Amino acid sequence: MTCLRENLKGADLLIGYLEGTLSAEERAELDQHASACADCRGLLAAQEMLGDDEVPEVSADFDARLYARLQQEQQQQWWRRLLWRPAVPLAAAAALLAVTLWVRPVAPPQADEPKSASVDRAEIEQLEQALDDVELLMPVNKTPEVL
Amino acid sequence: MRLWRAVAIAVGLLLAGGLDPASAQTPKQQAKQAKLKAKQLKQAKQAAVLERFLQMSPQERNQALRQLPPAQRQRILRRLDAVGSLSDEERRSLRGRFDTFLDMPPERQPVVRRELQQLRQLTPEQRRNRLASPELRDKFSEDELRFLSEVAGRQE
């Protein structure tokens, strides 16, 4: 018999040995090997010590409560997991901006708004240059200096 | 089918561009041409802005110039009022002279403008003498002299 750690059925043999489900022949073979193999002897002794510990009784609905708790945890934490992904906050910000721009009311053009409201600095300069030329072409008695 | 037609049109336009006389110009000539067009565009904008202001009511002009310092605003308003106070015929005539001036080659406009400024400083008699002087005949073309005489004559 090979060592339990190297045997493909080592785990099954170990469990069967501890639970007492091995055949007499298998059990005798394992005992014989363990008497000569310190590694397997230590493994069996350690497992037997663990088996001696008292296992508390679980309630009848333990499984049901366990799965319900797991499901609850998963439902509570999906958004936390999402927030850790760096793309999600960026996408959320972009979506918020898009919604803001889309929702923002566009001010309707006011009927009484003067057409002059959009005059900028460049247009003022253009106006003054045009006036310079026009005044040169005006009759002297009609120029602003005279008026 | 539509795609092929679009491609054919695009190729045709490209070929037409290649045959454009402008493409035969030297880079210096092309730059000069571009500068000329830019100048003409600028002057067209000036004329359009002036026309727009002349069509405004006094309240609209005030509103349009509200961001200017008071002194500058008042000066522009006074100048606009002066043009606005012209009779319809005077305005038509002024518009015609303005257009003639803008139609002059850009390099000649400053020369004509300077001469007009000088003529405005003279008495009517001095203007007549100046317009008849050999100096001006050497300096300006027949069309330019005619324009100067017309404008200076109206200034008497």
Side-chain angles (χ1 to χ4, degrees):
Chain A
M1 185 178 187
T2 56
C3 286
L4 289 172
R5 292 183 191 279
E6 298 168 5
N7 194 326
L8 289 175
K9 293 182 179 177
D12 292 336
L13 288 170
L14 182 58
I15 293 170
Y17 184 87
L18 294 171
E19 289 180 349
T21 56
L22 290 182
S23 66
E25 189 182 350
E26 287 174 323
R27 187 174 188 89
E29 195 176 356
L30 188 53
D31 280 336
Q32 187 183 354
H33 172 76
S35 63
C37 177
D39 192 22
C40 287
R41 196 166 55 249
L43 186 61
L44 287 171
Q47 294 298 326
E48 280 175 342
M49 273 175 57
L50 287 174
D52 291 342
D53 289 342
E54 195 174 327
V55 178
E57 287 290 326
V58 296
S59 59
D61 62 343
F62 176 81
D63 284 355
R65 287 195 295 118
L66 175 65
Y67 291 127
R69 180 78 180 272
L70 285 172
Q71 193 175 7
Q72 188 183 4
E73 288 285 320
Q74 286 173 346
Q75 285 174 349
Q76 280 180 347
Q77 292 186 349
W78 69 267
W79 57 271
R80 286 187 189 168
R81 290 198 302 273
L82 275 178
L83 283 180
W84 282 108
R85 297 182 185 178
V88 173
L90 289 175
L96 183 63
L97 180 64
V99 168
T100 306
L101 291 174
W102 183 63
V103 169
R104 189 182 65 178
V106 177
Q110 295 177 8
D112 57 345
E113 186 179 354
K115 55 194 168 188
S116 54
S118 61
V119 172
D120 59 21
R121 190 77 204 169
E123 284 182 316
I124 299 294
E125 285 177 14
Q126 290 168 348
L127 173 64
E128 288 194 296
Q129 286 166 355
L131 282 170
D132 287 343
D133 286 338
V134 162
E135 284 170 1
L136 271 179
L137 307 173
M138 282 173 67
V140 174
N141 60 349
K142 297 280 185 178
T143 51
E145 297 82 37
V146 175
L147 289 170
Chain B
M1 191 64 185
R2 191 181 292 174
L3 176 65
W4 282 112
R5 194 182 300 165
V7 170
I9 291 171
V11 170
L13 287 173
L14 281 173
L15 287 174
L19 297 173
D20 186 353
S23 65
Q25 293 177 337
T26 64
K28 194 173 178 182
Q29 287 172 323
Q30 286 177 350
K32 191 175 177 183
Q33 195 72 17
K35 197 174 172 183
L36 174 65
K37 282 183 181 175
K39 176 96 177 171
Q40 287 170 338
L41 181 65
K42 186 181 170 188
Q43 289 183 330
K45 281 182 182 174
Q46 289 175 8
V49 171
L50 175 62
E51 193 63 41
R52 188 152 67 91
F53 267 86
L54 289 175
Q55 287 175 359
M56 288 180 192
S57 68
Q59 292 79 13
E60 287 172 335
R61 287 179 193 166
N62 257 318
Q63 175 74 7
L65 302 173
R66 68 186 182 281
Q67 78 270 27
L68 295 181
Q72 187 184 10
R73 182 170 67 240
Q74 288 306 316
R75 190 175 65 247
I76 293 176
L77 288 173
R78 201 168 57 242
R79 298 172 80 186
L80 284 168
D81 285 344
V83 179
S85 70
L86 298 175
S87 67
D88 287 346
E89 188 185 340
E90 285 173 325
R91 275 181 74 164
R92 246 192 322 275
S93 176
L94 178 62
R95 180 62 202 239
R97 292 196 298 276
F98 189 47
D99 290 342
T100 303
F101 178 72
L102 294 182
D103 284 343
M104 289 180 183
E107 68 273 14
R108 294 300 296 164
Q109 288 179 13
V111 184
V112 172
R113 187 183 287 118
R114 270 197 302 276
E115 187 59 41
L116 280 173
Q117 286 166 341
Q118 287 180 10
L119 287 169
R120 286 180 77 91
Q121 308 300 319
L122 303 177
T123 64
E125 189 178 349
Q126 288 171 326
R127 267 201 294 273
R128 273 194 298 275
N129 292 335
R130 170 89 180 152
L131 285 167
S133 68
E135 182 192 344
L136 255 62
R137 298 204 171 275
D138 291 340
K139 196 174 175 183
F140 295 101
S141 69
E142 285 295 320
D143 286 343
E144 289 167 346
L145 274 177
R146 200 165 26 251
F147 178 77
L148 288 171
S149 299
E150 185 189 336
V151 174
R154 287 175 186 273
Q155 291 172 351
E156 289 179 19

